[in-house]
Amino acid sequence: MNALIEHYQILGWGLSALVLGTFLLAGTVKGVIGLGLPTVAMGLLGLAMLPAQAAALLIIPSTVTNVWQLAIGGQLRPLLKRLWPLLTMVALGTGVGSWLLGMSAGPTMSRALGAALLLYALSALCLPQLHVPQRHERWLGPLCGFLTGLISSATGVFAIPVVPYLQSLGLARNQLVQALGLAFTVGTLALAAGLFSNGALGSGELGASLLALIPALLGMWLGQLLRQRISAQVFKRLFLLGVAGLGLHLMISG
């Protein structure tokens, strides 16, 4: 508890309010469209703190909400059987990236975060729906997993290229949601291990991350209510436009 209080005292009241508000918004986005919590959290918090600090804060909210997501759907075993090469390489790529790259301080990593956000948004907005034949999964899945791990180790963003890859497999909606939760869970746990090995994830950061879980869960609940009242497609397009704007700002400002 003392470590938690000290961590938020160091952040200050203004930045602490930004953290809690960010996770409320990120949870709401995830509740509506089934993804976006790390993307929103890293994008907004990256405006005010180093990527490694932002990534440490999202570990527990991301893990808990993704486990919640992957536990619903009843397709966990067949998805594990089909996607284990991808998941293994997500973990391996994150480990290699944490060792070689890590989330160093300075404008380079902030610009890398911005580039990852912009690339994710533009690919989702502009690229047509792709379809990967099952015979190509044996090599393309591991490649996408390894690249996703490398990118997430430096930026905290798990979306590229694993999200468009999973969307190209022709999975049913519930299967896709569960597969995304599975990939994000593996990525988050691997990122946590990388941050810990680099000294960026201690008791203070874990306590702060645990507190951020409360607004994230509240946001997911609000998002699920909101999903019944608005068009998820329109909401997703607005979300992607916002992510693109955040990414461009981070790239320019560093």
Side-chain angles (χ1 to χ4, degrees), residues 159-249:
I160 294 295
V162 74
V163 171
Y165 171 75
L166 290 174
Q167 289 173 336
S168 72
L169 298 183
L171 300 172
R173 176 175 174 79
N174 288 340
Q175 285 182 309
L176 177 59
V177 170
Q178 197 169 15
L180 289 169
L182 188 57
F184 294 158
T185 298
V186 171
T188 302
L189 293 176
L191 179 63
L195 290 171
F196 180 78
S197 68
N198 289 330
L201 187 62
S203 59
E205 289 82 7
L206 283 174
S209 182
L210 181 61
L211 183 58
L213 175 63
I214 298 173
L217 291 177
L218 177 59
M220 277 195 72
W221 176 72
L222 292 173
Q224 289 170 350
L225 294 179
L226 190 60
R227 183 168 56 190
Q228 302 171 12
R229 293 170 171 80
I230 65 170
S231 167
Q233 288 299 110
V234 172
F235 186 91
K236 183 176 181 180
R237 182 167 293 273
L238 292 174
F239 155 69
L240 291 170
L241 289 171
V243 168
L246 274 175
L248 187 60
H249 176 77

